[in-house]
Amino acid sequence: MRSLSRPHGFEPLRVEGRLPESLRGTLFRAGPGLFERFGQRIPHAFEADGAVTAVRFDGSGAWGASRIVESAGYREEQAAGRFLYSSAASWLDRMRLVRKGLSKSTGNTSTFLWKNRLFALMENSLLQEMDPATLETLASTDLGVVSGAFSAHPHRVASLRTTFNFGVRYGRKMEIDLYALPDEGEPSKLGTVEAPWHSMVHDFMATERHLILYVGPVKLNLLRAMLGLGDVTQLFQWKPELGARLIVVPLDAVDSPRTFELAPFWTWHFANAFEDARGPCVDLCRYPTFSLGEIGELESVGPLPLLTRVKLDLQSGAAHEARLCDLPCDFPQVHPRLHGARYSMLFAQTERPGPDRSIHGVTRMDLERGVNTEWVLPDGHLPTEPVLVPRGAAQDSAFVLDLVYDAKTEHSYVAVLDGQHLEDGPLATVHFDQTIPVTFHGSFAGEGAASP
């Protein structure tokens, strides 16, 4: 992984093909942007200062920008001329952070849009606000309600016109704070639930009636963390004997959660969740084990993730797993109008074995018919999470935007795909003149798109 070589504001990008005139708005993506500073390389991508990348479409052309998230902690390190916040910092500096409870809002995982404001998010800090017009870094914020952490995976339930999220607090016990951010009105803290052990909670799900939290068999070595010993890969250990837990929190009774015990597995990302007759159904990308290897790529040590549905029976307390697709996938996305509701189609980053190489794709999965439609990327091109820009009400009626890295030419481009005709390949590609470092998650702001 290499750092962003040339941070810049919005400038014209080269377009191949024809951009849809109805595609108007801005794609935002976030990921780790600086893998080395002060002559040192950071131990893990999760600790890197973030970079936010944007592509603005106006129906006729495209403009791109990519800037480092220059948080208060980043600027403090720049002034000191050394690392102060990551595990690359000296032990004395790390202990200072532990003692004072300080952290840096690196914004290296996802972008979040709320009330015309843009935030860069990471796993365990406050929201880092960015200027959506320039990508300049503004101040971090707690929105008046966040206790200390706001996760990088907020989820909006379309029918409730509300975005939900959580934040983890580590202490004698691990507590998970729950938040609601309505489309109109003020944010609120819904309550707090206790986790069964100190774990990593990366993603969650929300439906019209419940929030569903996943606690996997990964355990934090709290003593090492408190003593500032080791990087993130040395703090969390796979403990399959613990099993896994899904904690179901009723929105109308947050203080009365239900816990379901499952066989051990790991998930980084959920696809969606919805209410069934007897309880929530939760769809996720299921890994058989936990790894902090090549984050952001499906290529990792061991088996690849498979789309799996967990049906929860609130009456009996039973949980049943069923595989939905045999094609390895991650970074799943569904049409925004069906977030938190019953659905039958999703888009994902996929990978399957070929005769001499892994075949990477952006795939539409029709779960009712069991049919996959795929854009197969050229050799040496690596996709990221697809971002959907709705065109109509149909589940596949969307433009699909995917930031791709071309290893042969060492540059990145955004592929603009028609969700209903993925197999035809991009309608257009929008090219940066450099490599954009790996990005994890993105969002789209603007008018969306009408039928062409």
Side-chain angles (χ1 to χ4, degrees), residues 2-29:
R2 63 178 64 180
S3 298
L4 180 66
S5 61
R6 187 176 68 86
H8 61 86
F10 283 96
E11 59 188 33
L13 300 180
R14 177 172 60 88
V15 176
E16 293 183 358
R18 184 175 180 181
L19 287 171
E21 193 279 334
S22 56
L23 177 60
R24 296 172 179 269
T26 305
L27 169 70
F28 297 101
R29 292 195 63 84

Side-chain angles (χ1 to χ4, degrees), residues 170 174 195-202 213-221 235-247 260-268 270 284-292 321:
Y170 295 105
M174 188 177 108
W197 56 81
H198 289 81
S199 184
M200 176 188 292
V201 182
H202 184 74
L213 300 159
Y214 172 75
V215 181
V218 171
K219 198 165 187 180
L220 171 68
N221 188 320
L235 297 181
F236 291 94
Q237 296 177 309
W238 175 246
K239 298 283 188 179
E241 64 274 15
L242 294 173
R245 304 287 189 274
L246 280 175
I247 303 174
F260 291 79
E261 297 188 7
L262 302 162
F265 69 93
W266 180 252
T267 185
W268 287 109
F270 290 91
L284 51 86
C285 298
R286 187 188 193 278
Y287 289 83
T289 59
F290 171 78
S291 172
L292 279 168
E321 290 187 36

Side-chain angles (χ1 to χ4, degrees), residues 84-266:
L84 299 173
Y85 285 88
S86 76
S87 62
S90 71
W91 183 80
L92 288 176
D93 282 325
R94 295 201 299 273
M95 288 306 297
R96 174 182 63 87
L97 298 181
V98 171
R99 187 172 63 253
K100 294 184 177 181
L102 298 175
S103 65
K104 180 171 61 170
S105 299
T106 62
N108 66 9
T109 306
S110 70
T111 59
F112 171 49
L113 295 156
W114 183 65
K115 292 189 173 182
N116 298 316
R117 297 169 70 181
L118 172 66
F119 304 94
L121 305 180
M122 64 168 292
E123 194 86 359
N124 60 348
S125 72
L126 299 177
L127 302 85
Q128 178 59 61
E129 189 159 7
M130 310 290 288
D131 186 335
T134 65
L135 295 193
E136 292 178 353
T137 305
L138 306 177
S140 63
T141 177
D142 62 6
L143 297 178
V145 297
V146 177
S147 299
F150 190 82
S151 97
H153 285 86
H155 287 286
R156 182 176 183 269
V157 177
S159 62
L160 299 180
R161 294 179 54 79
T162 299
T163 298
F164 298 94
N165 202 6
F166 71 95
V168 171
R169 285 185 288 121
Y170 295 105
R172 188 174 60 86
K173 299 178 180 179
M174 188 177 108
E175 296 180 306
I176 306 172
D177 299 315
L178 305 174
Y179 302 102
L181 288 78
D183 291 356
E184 299 176 2
E186 297 303 313
S188 63
K189 182 176 178 179
L190 300 175
T192 301
V193 298
E194 186 178 311
W197 56 81
H198 289 81
S199 184
M200 176 188 292
V201 182
H202 184 74
D203 197 0
F204 83 118
M205 260 289 113
T207 72
E208 296 171 339
R209 288 160 43 191
H210 296 96
L211 305 181
I212 302 108
L213 300 159
Y214 172 75
V215 181
V218 171
K219 198 165 187 180
L220 171 68
N221 188 320
L222 190 59
L223 180 60
R224 288 185 67 91
M226 292 176 63
L227 293 177
L229 300 175
D231 60 49
V232 65
T233 64
Q234 299 167 305
L235 297 181
F236 291 94
Q237 296 177 309
W238 175 246
K239 298 283 188 179
E241 64 274 15
L242 294 173
R245 304 287 189 274
L246 280 175
I247 303 174
V248 179
V249 184
L251 285 172
D252 60 357
V254 174
D255 57 349
S256 300
R258 292 277 302 276
T259 298
F260 291 79
E261 297 188 7
L262 302 162
F265 69 93
W266 180 252

